[in-house]
Amino acid sequence: MRSARLTKDQISGDKDQKKVCILHRNENAKTRVKENFENSEIKKRFRTDDHFLNAFTVSSNAFFDHNLNLEPSETEIPKLQDDLRNINKNINRELTRDYVNEAKGVLSLIQSVQLDTDKKTIETKVKVHMEFEKNLMEALNELNNRFDSIYNDLEKCLSKGVEESVQLCVASTNELIAPNIDKRGFHKILQALCKNGGCYWSKNWDVVLDLNRQLAKHLDEYIHEYFDQIFPVNGKTGKSVQEQIDKFSIFQSDSVYPSSDILHYIQNFIKTEETILKASLNMDVVAMKKDIYSSIKKTIENEMASGYKKAAALRGTGSMNERQILLINTVDERKQDMFNKAKIEMLKKFNNLKLYIKDALESGLKRAMELLLSQTSKFKWMDVSTEINELERLSEQLSD
């Protein structure tokens, strides 16, 4: 019996020790992830709060293995499940709000059409359409001016970054490709870097060398603060692209037409279309932001491509030294043109973003106006004003 008890105690002790080891390992893993994030480019480039990053060390095996003696909460899967539920709830709320707004817009169009019963009403619709078109042109001009102001400030930041990059790029290159370390293994790393277009990473990712990013860092340093203002993760900066889109509207408080039922439903329809367009554009901006931000590094990589190819082809005694000299000379010869092209490319992409937004708003709202004007009522439809009011209340609740 004593032997059996000892065996059970030993088993229990082993379980407890394994549990402690798992929890200790998981805590260390979370700490490393958070420390790496704090020192990462993401943290440097974007505004974040204390709740921006939640790290969970989860294992489905540990969750279902009762022999490990872990409480469900200690596996962190319940915490992860709660986070995923909240994310899903928010997504569903946004989708529901979008569906409600679209339905309200369609019903408003139907209601405006069936109120279109006499010549005077038709004339009112034509005049309102003309007012909307005039307001649209004015709103687009205002939007264009705000974007031009942002563009000019971005151009100033980039120009300073180009000057700094030209002055320091050779030293930055030398720092990366000729480090003060044991060079017996570095020649393979450098050759791999050249073969891979300027970037090397070890199998376990504990060593990452990126000459393109190294060359881009001075430009990045000059624009990252302003870039954060143009494309913030959250909050208002007064300069953000999202804010410029949100400010855009063809509705003015001083409409020359008195309020009426048909005008109410016309405005409802156009406002809904405007809201849908702006929400869609804000999602497009997120994708285009990534392309704009990465354009500097991509331009540098393209400009350095032939140098990398030549350096990778070098072989034999002294090839490492030749490779280093070739890369440094390539940077030195192309620096002015290379960084100017990077600047021009980023500005071009930002200008394309502006044109994309303007075109989407103009074409989308003109299409909605034309649809409104082209519809006429030839027969009596069901009155949907009650349904519209109900959707308006629901939309307000979903926005709270």
Side-chain angles (χ1 to χ4, degrees):
M1 292 294 293
R2 184 177 180 182
S3 175
R5 276 199 305 274
L6 284 173
T7 302
K8 287 180 180 179
D9 290 343
Q10 288 173 342
I11 292 172
S12 178
D14 288 345
K15 286 181 179 179
D16 289 340
Q17 187 175 10
K18 186 177 288 188
K19 173 180 175 177
V20 170
C21 287
I22 289 173
L23 295 177
H24 180 68
R25 181 199 64 192
N26 290 352
E27 197 59 37
N28 283 341
K30 285 201 293 185
T31 300
R32 287 198 305 273
V33 168
K34 289 182 177 180
E35 286 176 350
N36 288 337
F37 173 73
E38 288 296 321
N39 297 320
S40 69
E41 290 297 315
I42 296 175
K43 179 68 175 180
K44 293 175 184 176
R45 295 293 181 256
F46 299 105
R47 286 187 179 85
T48 57
D49 54 37
D50 294 337
H51 305 291
F52 180 78
L53 178 68
N54 285 328
F56 301 102
T57 51
V58 298
S59 167
S60 57
N61 292 332
F63 185 73
F64 293 108
D65 190 347
H66 300 295
N67 292 325
L68 294 176
N69 207 26
L70 287 170
E71 294 293 327
S73 61
E74 290 174 323
T75 68
E76 299 200 49
I77 284 184
K79 292 180 184 177
L80 178 60
Q81 288 173 328
D82 286 343
D83 259 29
L84 293 175
R85 285 192 194 99
N86 288 332
I87 291 170
N88 190 55
K89 183 179 178 181
N90 290 335
I91 291 172
N92 287 336
R93 186 183 182 90
E94 290 176 8
L95 288 173
T96 303
R97 186 175 63 237
D98 291 343
Y99 290 142
V100 167
N101 285 334
E102 287 185 35
K104 184 179 70 172
V106 171
L107 290 179
S108 295
L109 176 62
I110 292 172
Q111 193 70 3
S112 72
V113 170
Q114 75 167 351
L115 291 173
D116 186 3
T117 55
D118 55 40
K119 185 178 179 181
K120 185 177 180 181
T121 304
I122 295 172
E123 289 175 354
T124 299
K125 281 180 67 174
V126 171
K127 290 178 180 177
V128 169
H129 180 273
M130 292 173 64
E131 182 183 351
F132 279 159
E133 286 230 328
K134 173 176 167 288
N135 291 351
L136 175 59
M137 292 301 104
E138 290 176 356
L140 287 170
N141 284 335
E142 289 177 10
L143 182 69
N144 188 72
N145 291 337
R146 292 197 298 270
F147 268 106
D148 283 351
S149 175
I150 296 171
Y151 178 98
N152 291 334
D153 289 341
L154 180 61
E155 194 275 336
K156 290 175 185 175
C157 294
L158 284 166
S159 294
K160 291 178 182 177
V162 169
E163 290 178 16
E164 187 89 349
S165 298
V166 170
Q167 291 176 16
L168 301 178
C169 62
V170 172
S172 294
T173 303
N174 195 64
E175 178 186 330
L176 187 84
I177 68 171
N180 188 23
I181 60 173
D182 183 357
K183 297 183 179 180
R184 285 175 294 181
F186 188 72
H187 71 96
K188 291 183 178 179
I189 292 176
L190 187 58
Q191 185 177 25
L193 178 144
C194 294
K195 283 183 177 180
N196 199 47
C199 186
Y200 165 83
W201 57 89
S202 58
K203 290 181 180 179
N204 56 1
W205 286 84
D206 60 337
V207 177
V208 179
L209 300 177
D210 191 338
L211 181 53
N212 302 312
R213 184 164 295 283
Q214 180 83 344
L215 290 169
K217 75 175 183 177
H218 301 297
L219 264 170
D220 286 345
E221 285 168 1
Y222 270 92
I223 69 162
H224 83 264
E225 186 175 339
Y226 191 63
F227 197 87
D228 278 357
Q229 293 182 42
I230 304 173
F231 300 103
V233 174
N234 47 52
K236 294 184 177 181
T237 66
K239 289 283 188 179
S240 78
V241 171
Q242 284 86 350
E243 283 178 84
Q244 311 317 313
I245 294 172
D246 292 340
K247 287 176 186 175
F248 176 92
S249 180
I250 65 170
F251 290 92
Q252 298 178 359
S253 57
D254 57 344
S255 175
V256 296
Y257 300 102
S259 179
S260 64
D261 284 345
I262 190 169
L263 186 60
H264 170 74
Y265 294 118
I266 288 173
Q267 289 178 335
N268 238 353
F269 171 65
I270 298 296
K271 277 182 181 177
T272 300
E273 292 299 300
E274 188 179 86
T275 300
I276 292 170
L277 275 169
K278 286 155 72 169
S280 176
L281 282 171
N282 279 329
M283 290 190 290
D284 293 341
V285 166
V286 174
M288 297 176 81
K289 162 190 174 179
K290 298 174 184 176
D291 187 42
I292 294 170
Y293 182 73
S294 63
S295 64
I296 290 176
K297 183 171 176 285
K298 286 181 179 177
T299 301
I300 290 171
E301 184 176 348
N302 290 336
E303 290 298 303
M304 290 291 296
S306 62
Y308 291 139
K309 186 176 180 181
K310 291 176 183 176
L314 294 171
R315 294 289 187 276
T317 305
S319 60
M320 177 177 165
N321 188 50
E322 291 176 16
R323 192 172 288 124
Q324 291 169 327
I325 292 171
L326 193 153
L327 289 174
I328 290 172
N329 287 342
T330 301
V331 169
D332 195 31
E333 290 166 3
R334 301 190 178 184
K335 58 188 179 183
Q336 191 71 55
D337 190 47
M338 177 167 63
F339 294 119
N340 272 322
K341 282 185 178 178
K343 166 191 164 181
I344 291 168
E345 184 65 17
M346 175 171 271
L347 290 172
K348 183 179 81 171
K349 286 184 178 294
F350 182 78
N351 193 59
N352 287 343
L353 172 64
K354 178 192 78 171
L355 296 175
Y356 175 82
I357 291 170
K358 285 183 62 183
D359 180 67
L361 290 169
E362 182 176 7
S363 59
L365 287 171
K366 279 187 174 180
R367 190 162 50 246
M369 293 174 198
E370 289 164 4
L371 178 64
L372 190 66
L373 197 62
S374 66
Q375 303 301 311
T376 56
S377 178
K378 295 182 180 179
F379 52 88
K380 185 69 176 176
W381 289 4
M382 179 183 72
D383 187 299
V384 292
S385 57
T386 302
E387 286 77 9
I388 293 171
N389 292 334
E390 185 61 34
L391 288 174
E392 284 179 344
R393 284 194 294 272
L394 182 56
S395 180
E396 289 174 3
Q397 291 172 7
L398 289 168
S399 298
D400 291 338

